[in-house]
Amino acid sequence: MWFLCVFFHRLLDYRRAEVESLAVLFGSDGDGNRSLEWKLPEGHHIDSPFHFVSLPSEDIARKIANRSILVKGIYEVWGQGDNHEELEVAIRKFPEERMSPYLTEDSTFRIIVDSFGKVISFQEQNERIEGLSYIPFKGRVDLRNPDHKFWLMETDDYGSNNGLPPVMKRKIFFSREVGAADRKLLPTYQLKSRKYLGPTAMDAEVAFLMANQGLAQPGKLVYDPFVGTGSILVAAAHFGAMTMGADIDIRVVRDGRGPDCNVWSNFKQYGLPMPLSLLRADNNLPPWRPGLKEVFDAIICDPPYGVRAGGRKSGGRKLLKGAIDPYTVPEEKKSDHIPSTAPYSLAECMHDLLDLAAKMLVMGGRLVFFYPVLREDGTTNAQFPEHPCFTQIAACEQILSLRYSRYLLTMVKTGAYTEEIAETARKMHLNFKENHLKWLEEGNLHSAVFSPVDSQSLSGNPKFNRDSKPKYRGKKV
């Protein structure tokens, strides 16, 4: 069945990937590796908020819309046209047997007029609703809690002059709402009202997107090896998943800012189930016993890559270089001891993360993480880490500055972990390091992103001339 999927106009690269993950979660695709079928309305740009998507049933469409972060609503289209005359012709051709269950006398309804790219006054909205008198509504109007909602949505032929994706011509849709997003979710979990925050706390919207990509749901166990203040686990716990986290900084995991301001208090604030455990652990030296395998359904994390915080691993510089011998912490000092650490390069972090996921994820489990990319001349040329146990199914770019963006990578475990696989993965990792920039190995992304730029070279380049920039600067343009 074809439905009209209307997105919020933000995080453009994440939109289809989220819907496809939720379609897997709600049972529309058994193996999780096939993409849904999509198509655009005639004359629309790929960045348009209007997309048609094929889903197996209305029930699945409703569940996707209700849980999604970027979907505004999913609708059954009764008619579309370039003007109201064409719209009326299309609606009259819509099968009566599909319309009649929603037009009965004992039902209530509401018609909502919406637009993208222009503002419609209240008077114009009333005129458009009155123009739909040819639809045989028999029920009673209820503006607060109707049984059925109908949407009259318009786009304008605004071209490229107002910062929105170009549309070649006007389009009008009349649709029945199948499902809509939970508008209270993000305001409830916004960071500015959260008790315990750190400098790398994940934005609530992105954390929920990551939880959706990881298919968080009741009965699933989600692990974050770089838990920090727990933003990602809060999102996973909201969807009913069991959670577990680890961090190398014992002060973050154990202490926070006091007994009433720590990771645990974030879960208490929202009335969520507490994590099964929060560990002080090093991703470079994981604490799991050798016989423990395949316990996590998803690993969702934001690895440290040196912009807001650099990666650290156990050992300290002198200890790692052999300048001093390994030491034993006296028993009386263990409770307050903070182990020494050393820089942890992004290349090494990626290898350890993929190796951990290959060992600990169940078959079909998902690894969801951010990966940074330097942009040259305003474009990205990304090479992503790989592992023979995984199939990458989504790479969603978020452009953060002229020189730096990050991708949300989603991988599905499709192969069992063996010693032969581990050796193949090690060789793939070495090849990955050799073909990457120096900052990857040194973990010095901060200086690469924020190094001074020669203003004269930019001013002489027409690409950076303010007047020459196109009005719409969406991802695909």
Side-chain angles (χ1 to χ4, degrees):
M1 298 176 63
W2 283 98
F3 297 91
L4 177 64
C5 182
V6 181
F7 291 105
F8 291 108
H9 193 61
R10 58 177 183 260
L11 295 173
L12 306 184
D13 209 28
Y14 291 62
R15 301 182 302 182
R16 287 189 175 186
E18 186 198 22
V19 172
E20 290 179 352
S21 290
L22 293 179
V24 174
L25 179 65
F26 295 123
S28 71
D29 186 354
D31 60 19
N33 294 324
R34 298 191 300 269
S35 297
L36 297 176
E37 189 177 355
W38 297 86
K39 62 183 180 182
L40 287 168
E42 183 183 356
H44 279 235
H45 188 272
I46 184 63
D47 290 346
S48 166
F50 297 93
H51 290 65
F52 286 105
V53 59
S54 178
L55 295 170
S57 69
E58 187 172 307
D59 182 57
I60 289 177
R62 181 180 301 105
K63 290 178 179 178
I64 291 173
N66 293 345
R67 171 152 168 173
S68 174
I69 304 302
L70 296 178
V71 171
K72 185 177 182 179
I74 295 180
Y75 310 88
E76 179 189 46
V77 177
W78 286 13
Q80 59 178 306
D82 297 341
N83 50 57
H84 287 277
E85 290 73 22
E86 290 186 10
L87 178 67
E88 180 177 351
V89 172
I91 293 176
R92 291 185 182 277
K93 291 180 179 179
F94 192 74
E96 183 179 353
E97 63 272 13
R98 293 175 61 183
M99 297 174 63
S100 56
Y102 308 100
L103 305 176
T104 58
E105 293 181 357
D106 59 346
S107 65
T108 59
F109 70 95
R110 179 187 178 188
I111 299 176
I112 304 168
V113 179
D114 195 16
S115 64
F116 182 74
K118 66 176 182 178
V119 176
I120 301 178
S121 68
F122 184 72
Q123 180 180 350
E124 290 175 319
Q125 292 182 35
N126 286 335
E127 292 173 355
R128 282 163 169 73
I129 292 175
E130 291 172 359
L132 298 172
S133 59
Y134 53 86
I135 302 176
F137 291 105
K138 299 176 183 178
R140 179 173 53 86
V141 174
D142 184 346
L143 299 182
R144 292 191 174 183
N145 190 27
D147 296 327
H148 310 295
K149 291 183 181 179
F150 299 91
W151 290 73
L152 182 65
M153 293 176 282
E154 297 186 21
T155 63
D156 200 5
D157 51 350
Y158 40 77
S160 58
N161 296 321
N162 62 349
L164 296 174
V167 171
M168 300 305 294
K169 58 184 178 180
R170 181 188 187 194
K171 206 74 174 177
I172 308 174
F173 303 94
F174 183 80
S175 310
R176 178 181 62 86
E177 181 183 294
V178 173
D182 181 2
R183 306 294 178 86
K184 298 179 181 179
L185 183 63
L186 296 182
T188 300
Y189 286 91
Q190 58 187 338
L191 292 184
K192 66 181 182 181
S193 62
R194 193 166 297 179
K195 279 191 174 182
Y196 181 45
L197 286 178
T200 59
M202 181 62 67
D203 175 74
E205 181 178 39
V206 179
F208 279 104
L209 284 171
M210 297 176 77
N212 281 340
Q213 289 294 98
L215 309 185
Q217 62 178 323
K220 301 294 185 180
L221 178 57
V222 175
Y223 177 63
D224 182 356
F226 312 99
V227 68
T229 58
S231 294
I232 294 174
L233 294 189
V234 164
H238 170 82
F239 292 132
M242 297 177 289
T243 58
M244 187 173 179
D247 201 284
I248 195 171
D249 190 343
I250 193 172
R251 295 164 295 185
V252 172
V253 175
R254 185 186 64 184
D255 303 325
R257 294 192 177 92
D260 297 321
C261 188
N262 50 40
V263 180
W264 304 98
S265 62
N266 283 343
F267 289 81
K268 291 179 183 177
Q269 178 181 354
Y270 302 114
L272 299 173
M274 293 294 167
L276 300 180
S277 179
L278 294 177
L279 308 173
R280 189 277 174 188
D282 181 3
N283 189 58
N284 185 243
L285 297 170
W288 319 109
R289 67 175 185 265
L292 186 63
K293 297 180 180 180
E294 299 186 347
V295 295
F296 300 124
D297 296 285
I299 294 178
I300 309 175
C301 61
D302 183 24
Y305 37 80
V307 177
R308 290 184 292 177
R312 308 294 295 180
K313 63 180 180 180
S314 300
R317 292 184 178 88
K318 292 183 179 180
L319 184 63
L320 291 176
K321 292 180 180 179
I324 61 172
D325 295 327
Y327 58 89
T328 301
V329 181
E331 193 67 31
E332 65 275 11
K333 295 184 178 180
K334 281 187 176 181
S335 60
D336 296 322
H337 177 69
I338 299 177
S340 59
T341 59
Y344 189 27
S345 72
L346 181 60
E348 190 176 7
C349 178
M350 288 295 104
H351 177 266
D352 293 340
L353 178 62
L354 289 169
D355 190 64
L356 169 71
K359 291 178 181 177
M360 304 292 287
L361 279 177
V362 299
M363 193 64 67
R366 290 196 169 196
L367 171 62
V368 183
F369 64 100
F370 272 109
Y371 180 74
V373 173
L374 285 177
R375 309 175 75 237
E376 298 180 2
D377 297 327
T379 60
T380 56
N381 185 18
Q383 178 187 356
F384 302 126
E386 298 177 313
H387 194 283
C389 284
F390 290 95
T391 300
Q392 181 178 302
I393 61 170
C396 307
E397 184 181 18
Q398 183 180 9
I399 299 174
L400 300 175
S401 71
L402 181 66
R403 305 191 64 187
Y404 161 56
S405 65
R406 61 180 182 176
Y407 280 84
L408 181 62
L409 302 182
T410 303
M411 299 181 175
V412 177
K413 184 175 178 181
T414 55
Y417 184 87
T418 63
E419 293 301 324
E420 293 77 13
I421 288 290
E423 179 61 23
T424 302
R426 188 186 69 83
K427 293 178 181 178
M428 292 173 67
H429 170 66
L430 293 175
N431 180 66
F432 172 70
K433 286 170 57 177
E434 291 174 359
N435 289 280
H436 240 70
L437 298 173
K438 192 176 181 180
W439 62 262
L440 179 73
E441 179 61 25
E442 295 180 349
N444 195 20
L445 181 61
H446 185 279
S447 61
V449 172
F450 296 103
S451 60
V453 180
D454 185 358
S455 58
Q456 292 184 353
S457 64
L458 291 182
S459 61
N461 187 344
K463 189 176 185 67
F464 299 99
N465 188 323
R466 183 179 297 274
D467 296 332
S468 68
K469 288 182 178 179
K471 294 295 182 182
Y472 174 65
R473 297 184 292 276
K475 182 180 185 299
K476 303 295 182 182
V477 175

